[in-house]
Amino acid sequence: MGASMSKTQETGAAAPRAPALPWTVRLYTLSLMSATDFAQRPDGTVNRFVFSLADRQARASAHPDGLGVVSADVAVDASRGLWARVFSPSSSRADPGAPALPVLVYFHGGGFTLLSAASAPYDAMCRRFCRELGAVVVSVNYRLAPEHRFPAAYDDGVDVLRYLGNAGLPDLGVPVDLARCFLAGDSAGGNLTHHVAQRWTATAPGPIRIAGIVLLQPYFGGEERTPAELRLEGVAPVVNMRRSDWSWRAFLPEGADRNHPAAHVTGEAGPEPELGEAFPPAMVVIGGLDPLQDWQRRYAAMLERKGKAVQVVEFPEAIHAFYVFPELADSGRVVKAIKAFMDAARAAQPGQLPDPSVTRTCDC
């Protein structure tokens, strides 16, 4: 019996318990997990019809919502289905004398294989970001795997920045500041945020300068099983090792393992990424009930080793994807933390933050 005893039992530590969540959050995460499990076929393809049953879509609207936000879909490259949804304050509520608004380019999560910029939770979240961050939000609908494997999503992210630099945004009725742009993303979108920023700042083309990046529980990994992955397996909702492994197989090149540099960026099983001098300050958001948290801490430590400004903000009771649920208190707190980060990055000199290399538990 001792041979089968878990590490938790061996050390006498209390086993982690499933988080206490509002019924609305439990219901949505259950439907999302069930749809994901049915959609992830054993042959590595996605049953998109099955997943669509749980993936409610929202339309762009030129009419202001209750937050005073309007939205429009912009075609970036119709030949490959690349587009973005742009959220902006209604011009009727804009202050003509107000300074130009920052632009936040956002990459949604979904393990590189699921969801879209039109998925209702992301549409609602980007509306909140637009209103509460005081920013124009450009939510990117990048191509999904396995139909479009690595590096398609990264190419799409870079091309959206190139499009903004060349064509700019449509007339929004409000001034925008493309010279100080922010990238943000959650889960797989956080992974995209890092790689797009790395690519963009390696060559720094065009008028777009990235002032900062926000990685919400970014999806990094490796062949190693981390303590958090083992401890929270079967306990934490949304992410488990089977779903995660399936997503990496769908996204990475055929035959690649999870130590591929797209997934593994922290140096334990390969070289650390080369980061250019212009690589921007980063904010890394970590949840204490997210199985991916160890990879996220290692990512922040890698940035510190390379001399990059990084702020780590921890929410000890947060599950993966907590930010899409406005009924969770941490969802409001993280928006305040992002706002503070963006304000500091806009005021600082390029590549610097007033308080770099900070790790803190958020009591925003």
Side-chain angles (χ1 to χ4, degrees), residues 86-147:
V86 180
F87 301 85
S88 62
S90 169
S91 58
S92 63
R93 298 194 180 189
D95 179 358
L101 298 179
V103 174
L104 180 74
V105 178
Y106 195 83
F107 302 103
H108 67 81
F112 299 104
T113 63
L114 302 170
L115 302 171
S116 74
S119 295
Y122 282 114
D123 181 272
M125 186 177 72
C126 287
R127 290 177 182 276
R128 288 177 56 216
F129 283 176
C130 176
R131 175 64 175 176
E132 297 178 30
L133 300 178
V136 170
V137 179
V138 179
S139 182
V140 179
N141 199 72
Y142 55 87
R143 290 171 292 172
L144 299 178
E147 295 89 345

Side-chain angles (χ1 to χ4, degrees), residues 32-114:
L32 179 68
M33 291 186 295
S34 299
T36 299
D37 290 342
F38 280 112
Q40 291 181 335
R41 293 180 174 129
D43 65 0
T45 61
V46 175
N47 187 328
R48 300 213 174 273
F49 171 74
V50 166
F51 190 76
S52 71
L53 300 178
D55 183 21
R56 186 167 58 88
Q57 302 285 289
R59 293 183 178 181
S61 176
H63 300 288
D65 62 10
L67 299 174
V69 173
V70 297
S71 59
D73 292 341
V74 176
V76 176
D77 185 346
S79 69
R80 55 176 150 147
L82 176 59
W83 57 273
R85 180 161 294 178
V86 180
F87 301 85
S88 62
S90 169
S91 58
S92 63
R93 298 194 180 189
D95 179 358
L101 298 179
V103 174
L104 180 74
V105 178
Y106 195 83
F107 302 103
H108 67 81
F112 299 104
T113 63
L114 302 170

Side-chain angles (χ1 to χ4, degrees), residues 102-107 161 177-185 190 192-194 196-198 200-201 208-215 278-284 299 303 308-311 338 340-353:
V103 174
L104 180 74
V105 178
Y106 195 83
F107 302 103
L161 292 183
D177 181 9
L178 282 171
R180 289 201 171 188
C181 185
F182 291 84
L183 306 186
L192 263 79
T193 296
H194 163 77
V196 171
Q198 180 189 16
W200 189 260
T201 55
I208 302 289
R209 187 181 72 79
I210 302 175
I213 57 175
V214 178
L215 299 92
F279 190 86
M283 173 182 173
V284 182
Y299 172 74
L303 294 182
K308 303 302 180 183
V310 56
Q311 291 183 358
I338 295 170
F341 171 82
M342 291 176 63
D343 289 346
R346 293 185 79 197
Q349 295 298 315
Q352 297 180 347
L353 282 175

